Amino acid sequence: MEENTIILYPKADKVFSNPELAIYFKPLLTYHTSVSGKKYQIHLLGTDGLFCETKFKYSENNFFGFKYNNGTYDFLGDIRVFNEYDKVPELYTFLKKDFLKNSDLYLNNKTSVAKYLSDIEFELQEISNFEDFSNAIYYAEAFYSYEFTKSYYEKYAKHSHVSVITEGFAKNTEPLIIDKKDALSILEEFFKNLKYNLANKYDINKEMFISGVAGERFMSINGGCNILAMLDTSKDIVYILEYH
């Protein structure tokens, strides 16, 4: 694969050593690059639909660390960082089964997020074990936004957000990859407040920036954030930061 090539919506088994991580981390794109002569496949991920409620090393405040292992990621953190993390797999299975069955219908009818949530709400209440049902709704909203946008791209070879297709929102025509100058400005702000942003210590700096995207172009509008990847080549660790 040529350097600087972008692959949208890579398969989970091409991203993670454990593909089940895609239940929590949505694969957005893979950026092929090289650093000091070594080739890397940097996978940008989003956790829209989930809340970080606790703090663990390599998983806190929408900051996550992954060991880079021959093109795939090994998660170094702890899934327990996410609120009601143990309820997510069952909800994901239900939503995925429904979407696989009805994806053509959703695309052809240009079903909006609001209409989708209204249509599945009763079943969602039946199967959801979330203590706070609003968390299940939030996950479903993020799931559908991501899956619709992904499926539309795979079917029509055009990357347009669900809101553009179903509600007539203006299409973002900016490049998908965030400009490096803008990314470094975001990271400068992040590092200025590092002691408030992160509880644990990491050997990181803004010069490790490697690639980034605006999350709302892939996931729900409510999940808008800048998703930035930093690469520690000395340890082969990729850090993913979702900065709101």
Side-chain angles (χ1 to χ4, degrees), residues 232-243:
D232 182 347
T233 56
S234 67
K235 299 177 182 177
D236 269 349
I237 294 178
V238 178
Y239 296 96
I240 299 293
L241 167 67
E242 296 176 299
Y243 196 67

Side-chain angles (χ1 to χ4, degrees), residues 45-228:
L45 316 169
T47 66
D48 185 27
L50 298 169
F51 297 103
C52 290
E53 71 167 356
T54 52
K55 298 177 182 179
F56 298 94
K57 182 77 170 180
Y58 299 111
S59 48
E60 52 176 310
N61 290 346
N62 295 96
F63 178 83
F64 309 97
F66 299 86
K67 182 70 175 178
Y68 185 83
N69 183 12
N70 295 319
T72 60
Y73 287 177
D74 296 327
F75 185 40
L76 296 173
D78 195 314
I79 290 299
R80 291 178 298 167
V81 68
F82 296 118
N83 185 44
E84 301 199 69
Y85 70 94
D86 54 334
K87 314 293 197 319
V88 175
E90 184 178 11
L91 176 57
Y92 175 86
T93 298
F94 163 74
L95 295 173
K96 190 70 173 179
K97 182 179 179 180
D98 170 81
F99 195 87
L100 288 173
K101 179 182 177 181
N102 297 306
S103 59
D104 286 340
L105 182 67
Y106 292 145
L107 291 177
N108 293 337
N109 289 350
K110 298 182 179 181
T111 304
S112 68
V113 173
K115 179 68 163 62
Y116 167 78
L117 292 175
S118 175
D119 288 346
I120 69 164
E121 183 174 3
F122 177 77
E123 287 184 271
L124 201 58
Q125 289 177 329
E126 289 291 305
I127 68 96
S128 173
N129 291 317
F130 280 65
E131 292 180 16
D132 185 342
F133 185 64
S134 67
N135 289 338
I137 289 288
Y138 176 43
Y139 185 88
E141 176 186 2
F143 172 91
Y144 182 74
S145 298
Y146 171 81
E147 290 292 338
F148 185 102
T149 305
K150 172 176 177 284
S151 295
Y152 189 88
Y153 171 74
E154 292 172 343
K155 185 171 184 177
Y156 299 108
K158 295 179 181 179
H159 190 262
S160 294
H161 190 260
V162 58
S163 63
V164 174
I165 303 303
T166 66
E167 299 180 73
F169 281 34
K171 179 176 172 57
N172 188 332
T173 58
E174 294 291 322
L176 280 176
I177 298 296
I178 293 176
D179 180 76
K180 185 176 181 179
K181 183 179 178 180
D182 293 337
L184 291 178
S185 178
I186 294 167
L187 286 174
E188 184 175 355
E189 179 180 316
F190 171 75
F191 280 104
K192 276 185 179 178
N193 299 291
L194 192 62
K195 65 180 180 180
Y196 305 109
N197 291 326
L198 299 177
N200 293 285
K201 301 292 185 181
Y202 305 91
D203 295 324
I204 53 174
N205 59 70
K206 70 177 185 177
E207 302 308 318
M208 291 179 175
F209 169 75
I210 199 75
S211 189
V213 295
E216 65 267 20
R217 299 184 70 175
F218 295 83
M219 301 176 293
S220 73
I221 294 176
N222 292 333
C225 65
N226 291 297
I227 300 172
L228 307 178

